[in-house]
Amino acid sequence: MLFQELGKLKRSSIMMSIVMMAVGLLMIVWPQQHVDVLVSALGYGMLVLATVMVLDFIAGKRVLINYISLTAALILGLLGVMVLVFDNIVLAIGLVFGLWLILDGVLSLFNATTYARRAQRQGWQILVVLSVLLILFGLIVLVNPWWDSPDKLFDVIGGMLLFSSLVGIVRLIFIWPLKSE
């Protein structure tokens, strides 16, 4: 049973990295004149994902992790509404992706210090450095000092999502248990 859950975790981590790569590439190559369509798709996608997560909470067991997932779903829904409703799209999109990068960096840093260091993996410090860089990039997107239009911001966020997917793959390599015998 434990190995089935670990297998699910591995598959979901790999799929998340693939999806983040695809979204990052899409944001980079998307034409400037159609950025509004991508913004709307982002907002509606966040609302649909939040709805699915809430319905999953309703159908699931009432344990602590499901309540945390419900809280994340409600925050995601609010951010989706912000992307669709606010006039300052750059601020809303910067907030969404900045928070995403920061949370992903904190998760990677936690995994590096908790699992990779304790497992005495060679080079676990690389994951710490990549995680800190991911948090720094998230803060840069959150503060948003240089980009004043959504098309410029999408190029930057696309590149940072590609970097985030790379960090996710490195995290999976360092964390995943290997058979030594």
Side-chain angles (χ1 to χ4, degrees):
M1 177 108 141
L2 176 65
F3 291 114
Q4 290 173 347
E5 291 300 317
L6 285 174
K8 288 180 190 177
L9 182 65
K10 180 181 178 183
R11 281 191 304 272
S12 68
S13 180
I14 291 171
M15 286 305 297
M16 190 63 169
S17 292
I18 291 171
V19 166
M20 285 178 27
M21 274 187 210
V23 170
L25 286 173
L26 181 71
M27 290 179 120
I28 290 172
V29 301
W30 196 263
Q32 291 180 2
Q33 61 267 28
H34 301 295
V35 167
D36 294 337
V37 174
L38 188 59
V39 170
S40 296
L42 173 70
Y44 287 123
M46 291 170 65
L47 287 176
V48 167
L49 182 61
T51 304
V52 168
M53 290 171 71
V54 167
L55 291 175
D56 188 37
F57 170 77
I58 292 171
K61 296 178 181 176
R62 301 294 190 263
V63 292
L64 179 62
I65 192 68
N66 288 343
Y67 284 103
I68 293 171
S69 176
L70 175 68
T71 305
L74 294 176
I75 291 170
L76 184 67
L78 287 174
L79 290 173
V81 169
M82 278 180 51
V83 168
L84 291 173
V85 173
F86 279 177
D87 290 333
N88 191 354
I89 294 172
V90 175
L91 177 67
I93 292 172
L95 180 71
V96 168
F97 284 102
L99 289 175
W100 173 263
L101 290 171
I102 290 171
L103 289 175
D104 193 26
V106 167
L107 175 71
S108 294
L109 187 62
F110 175 76
N111 285 335
T113 57
T114 303
Y115 302 120
R117 182 177 57 91
R118 288 184 183 172
Q120 298 175 350
R121 295 284 177 130
Q122 294 281 331
W124 64 271
Q125 296 89 353
I126 294 170
L127 188 56
V128 170
V129 170
L130 290 175
S131 302
V132 169
L133 281 174
L134 199 56
I135 293 169
L136 179 69
F137 290 157
L139 288 172
I140 289 172
V141 170
L142 200 58
V143 172
N144 195 11
W146 299 288
W147 309 287
D148 55 350
S149 66
D151 53 327
K152 291 178 189 175
L153 184 63
F154 275 7
D155 290 340
V156 171
I157 290 174
M160 290 186 186
L161 283 177
L162 288 174
F163 180 73
S164 176
S165 64
L166 173 76
V167 172
I169 291 169
V170 170
R171 176 179 60 220
L172 183 67
I173 290 170
F174 276 113
I175 302 299
W176 195 253
L178 300 173
K179 293 183 179 181
S180 60
E181 301 172 335

